[in-house]
């Protein structure tokens, strides 16, 4: 459920085609791809130089593009639905080719110093330097896997406030005493709140970290045209290739074989499905619960780490086998770390989608009639992860998401 996709069934986006990639190939931009440009805040603003297909400059020479094209550029690039804010930190000069109808325009982005507090034609989100440097960068290569629990030599590790730790201990005791706290959202879709204990969350993070820095571990996936997904991913069991939207036994970028799914993960998935069946039986008074939420044994797990500014547009998970999709075998999702704003619905329509908050320790399951829902993540709430989890695991700020499914 947390796969970045730039292509596939029912995933067309916007009303323009990006042709700036090599050889005129469509740029397979993903919802979490690196942004294309940015307002640099108080001191800089963008100046647009717009050229037509014949290379003639059509800007007004003062504030950039002619009013008609400038208005179209602002509306198309600044507010494209389900895409990250229009931003390209510290850009000094770049160009982007876009086809609008039969006209091809080149947008050159440069920065120009203006007075502090001056107007900015496009308001972008400035990404903190720490995020750009340590979280979703191209440092996640085959030779240097992304580390979700980095340690810095000589750094001092601060302990969380005692008040916060005591509150988390009380919540953990309450969770154990009361048992599973969940609800049936819709037929085939169940949410189990605070289902994974803090100690199990720490173990999951540690196991993912150990696997993630080894062969087949975390990397920043992308496409042949150079576009990068705005996340770090590791596949367990089978590899999922974002370029082809297909599963395989090896990762095409380096030939690495995906690590096996740890046995502890299987046990948690099995227990979550069983408890979901009990919840459905209780709330819906259903005799045949497996008809509403089928049983499954996972042989695939996609592990994604999103930084605090990570996003995932509405999409469907339909790359498993036709038999798996036909039977409605469920997707089981573990959330660990910062809270995510999760959207879902029967149509790829953000305005009509429903929203739930997925917190650290929550398990979301959707199968049966809900197997093909559109779903996505619109925001990550920074600094919402349990303090004890961060202290004991050294997890990066952001969200670790594991999604299990049966091919």
């Amino acid at each position: 459920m947390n796969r970045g996709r730039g292509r596939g069934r029912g995933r067309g986006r916007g009303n323009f085609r990006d042709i700036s990639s090599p050889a005129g190939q469509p740029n397979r931009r993903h919802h979490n791809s690196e942004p294309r440009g940015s307002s640099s805040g108080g001191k800089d603003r963008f100046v647009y130089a717009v050229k037509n297909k014949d290379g003639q400059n059509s800007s007004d020479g003062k504030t950039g593009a002619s009013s008609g094209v400038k208005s179209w550029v602002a509306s198309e690039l600044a507010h494209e639905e389900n895409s990250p804010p229009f931003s390209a930190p510290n850009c000094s000069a770049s160009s982007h080719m876009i086809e609008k109808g039969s006209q091809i325009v080149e947008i050159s982005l440069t920065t120009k110093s203006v007075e502090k507090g001056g107007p900015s034609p496009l308001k972008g989100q400035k990404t903190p330097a720490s995020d750009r440097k340590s979280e979703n960068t191209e440092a996640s290569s085959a030779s240097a896997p992304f580390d979700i629990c980095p340690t810095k030599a000589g750094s001092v590790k601060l302990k969380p406030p005692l008040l916060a730790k005591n509150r988390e201990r009380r919540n953990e005791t309450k969770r154990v005493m009361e048992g599973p706290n969940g609800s049936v959202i819709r037929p085939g879709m169940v949410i189990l709140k605070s289902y994974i204990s803090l100690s199990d969350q720490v173990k999951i993070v540690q196991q993912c970290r150990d696997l993630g820095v080894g062969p087949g571990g975390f990397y920043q996936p992308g496409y042949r045209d150079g576009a990068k997904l705005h996340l770090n991913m590791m596949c367990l069991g089978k590899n999922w290739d974002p370029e082809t939207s297909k599963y395989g036994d090896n990762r095409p970028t380096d030939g690495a074989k995906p690590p096996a799914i740890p046995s502890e993960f299987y046990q948690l998935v099995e227990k979550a499905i069983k408890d979901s069946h009990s919840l459905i039986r209780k709330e819906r008074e259903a005799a045949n619960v497996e008809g509403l939420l089928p049983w499954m044994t996972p042989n695939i797990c996609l592990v994604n780490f999103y930084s605090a500014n990570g996003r995932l547009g509405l999409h469907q998970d339909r790359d498993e086998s036709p038999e798996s999709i036909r039977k409605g075998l469920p997707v089981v999702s573990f959330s660990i770390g910062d809270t995510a704003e999760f959207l879902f619905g029967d149509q790829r329509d953000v305005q009509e989608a429903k929203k739930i908050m997925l917190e650290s320790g929550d398990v979301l399951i959707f199968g049966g009639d809900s197997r093909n829902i559109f779903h996505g993540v619109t925001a990550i709430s920074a600094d919402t992860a349990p303090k004890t989890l961060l202290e004991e695991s050294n997890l990066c700020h952001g969200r670790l998401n594991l999604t299990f499914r049966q091919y």
Side-chain angles (χ1 to χ4, degrees):
M1 74 187 267
N2 283 318
R3 306 179 224 169
R5 295 189 174 120
R7 59 188 298 183
R9 296 172 291 276
R11 299 185 188 104
R13 302 177 59 224
N15 54 8
F16 66 91
R17 182 168 65 91
D18 188 329
I19 60 172
S20 61
S21 55
Q25 298 175 357
N27 187 347
R28 300 180 181 87
R29 286 181 59 253
H30 174 261
H31 301 286
N32 292 328
S33 298
E34 289 301 326
R36 291 175 291 190
S38 115
S39 153
S40 57
K43 294 187 178 181
D44 295 328
R45 66 184 175 88
F46 282 111
V47 178
Y48 293 85
V50 181
K51 298 181 182 179
N52 59 24
K53 189 174 183 179
D54 297 325
Q56 299 298 317
N57 193 325
S58 60
S59 70
D60 57 18
K62 296 179 182 179
T63 59
S66 61
S67 59
V69 177
K70 180 170 61 178
S71 175
W72 171 76
V73 169
S75 63
E76 288 297 300
L77 296 187
H79 303 293
E80 184 186 355
E81 183 182 25
N82 291 336
S83 65
F86 186 77
S87 60
N90 301 325
C91 74
S92 58
S94 62
S95 65
H96 213 68
M97 296 293 293
I98 292 179
E99 180 177 19
K100 180 177 184 293
S102 60
Q103 181 185 15
I104 298 178
V105 296
E106 177 181 353
I107 306 170
S108 297
L109 304 181
T110 62
T111 56
K112 182 176 180 180
S113 177
V114 297
E115 293 182 4
K116 184 176 182 180
S120 176
L122 293 178
K123 296 182 179 180
Q125 178 178 336
K126 188 173 181 181
T127 305
S130 59
D131 285 351
R132 297 195 302 269
K133 181 178 180 181
S134 65
E135 292 179 335
N136 290 326
T137 68
E138 294 192 20
S140 303
S141 64
S143 60
F146 178 77
D147 190 349
I148 63 173
C149 304
T151 56
K152 295 181 179 180
S155 62
V156 178
K157 189 174 181 180
L158 300 177
K159 292 184 177 295
L162 185 60
L163 181 63
K165 293 185 66 174
N166 288 338
R167 181 172 61 249
E168 290 171 1
R169 288 195 187 99
R170 289 195 299 270
N171 291 338
E172 183 72 3
T173 300
K174 181 180 178 181
R175 185 194 68 83
V176 174
M177 296 293 293
E178 294 181 351
N181 174 27
S183 61
V184 179
I185 300 174
R186 50 179 281 169
M189 188 173 185
V190 174
I191 177 72
L192 301 174
K193 297 295 294 181
S194 302
Y195 186 78
I196 306 174
S197 68
L198 275 173
S199 60
D200 283 339
Q201 291 180 53
V202 171
K203 292 176 183 177
I204 291 173
V205 170
Q206 292 173 341
Q207 286 179 298
C208 287
R209 191 268 174 184
D210 291 342
L211 293 173
V213 296
F218 284 107
Y219 76 112
Q220 187 179 19
Y223 302 100
R224 284 191 294 267
D225 59 13
K228 292 285 186 180
L229 275 63
H230 203 176
L231 57 84
N232 284 278
M233 179 175 73
M234 172 176 64
C235 299
L236 305 179
K238 282 183 174 292
N239 181 76
W240 180 75
D241 181 13
E243 177 70 34
T244 62
S245 294
K246 293 181 179 179
Y247 289 103
D249 294 328
N250 298 89
R251 190 160 66 190
T253 56
D254 57 6
K257 184 177 179 62
I261 301 175
S263 59
E264 295 86 351
F265 293 4
Y266 281 110
Q267 296 168 9
L268 284 171
V269 171
E270 180 181 354
K271 185 174 182 295
I273 295 178
K274 285 182 178 179
D275 286 336
S276 295
H277 284 168
S278 298
L279 188 63
I280 294 173
R281 192 177 293 110
K282 178 181 178 181
E283 287 194 10
R284 300 300 172 95
E285 298 182 353
N288 182 22
V289 292
E290 288 197 34
L292 298 175
L293 183 65
W295 182 265
M296 74 98 175
T297 301
N299 54 8
I300 300 166
C301 177
L302 302 189
V303 186
N304 290 334
F305 182 83
Y306 298 90
S307 64
N309 59 354
R311 302 290 185 274
L312 181 63
L314 291 176
H315 67 281
Q316 294 174 301
D317 289 346
R318 296 181 61 90
D319 295 333
E320 290 69 47
S321 69
E323 181 182 13
S324 179
I325 299 299
R326 179 178 58 80
K327 291 181 177 179
L329 301 187
V331 173
V332 180
S333 170
F334 293 176
S335 293
I336 298 176
D338 287 332
T339 300
E341 185 178 273
F342 182 85
L343 298 187
F344 67 94
D346 292 319
Q347 304 296 327
R348 192 176 183 271
D349 187 341
V350 173
Q351 301 301 323
E352 297 295 326
K354 295 182 179 180
K355 178 179 71 175
I356 57 176
M357 304 303 288
L358 295 179
E359 301 171 301
S360 192
D362 290 353
V363 172
L364 179 69
I365 303 177
F366 54 95
D369 291 341
S370 295
R371 178 60 176 80
N372 295 326
I373 60 169
F374 287 88
H375 57 282
V377 174
T378 56
I380 302 294
S381 302
D383 300 323
T384 52
K387 307 302 180 185
T388 302
L389 171 68
L390 300 181
E391 179 189 19
E392 296 185 8
S393 69
N394 203 40
L395 178 66
C396 283
H397 291 288
R399 177 179 184 246
L400 183 67
N401 182 227
L402 294 78
T403 57
F404 301 86
R405 67 280 313 277
Q406 182 177 326
Y407 182 75

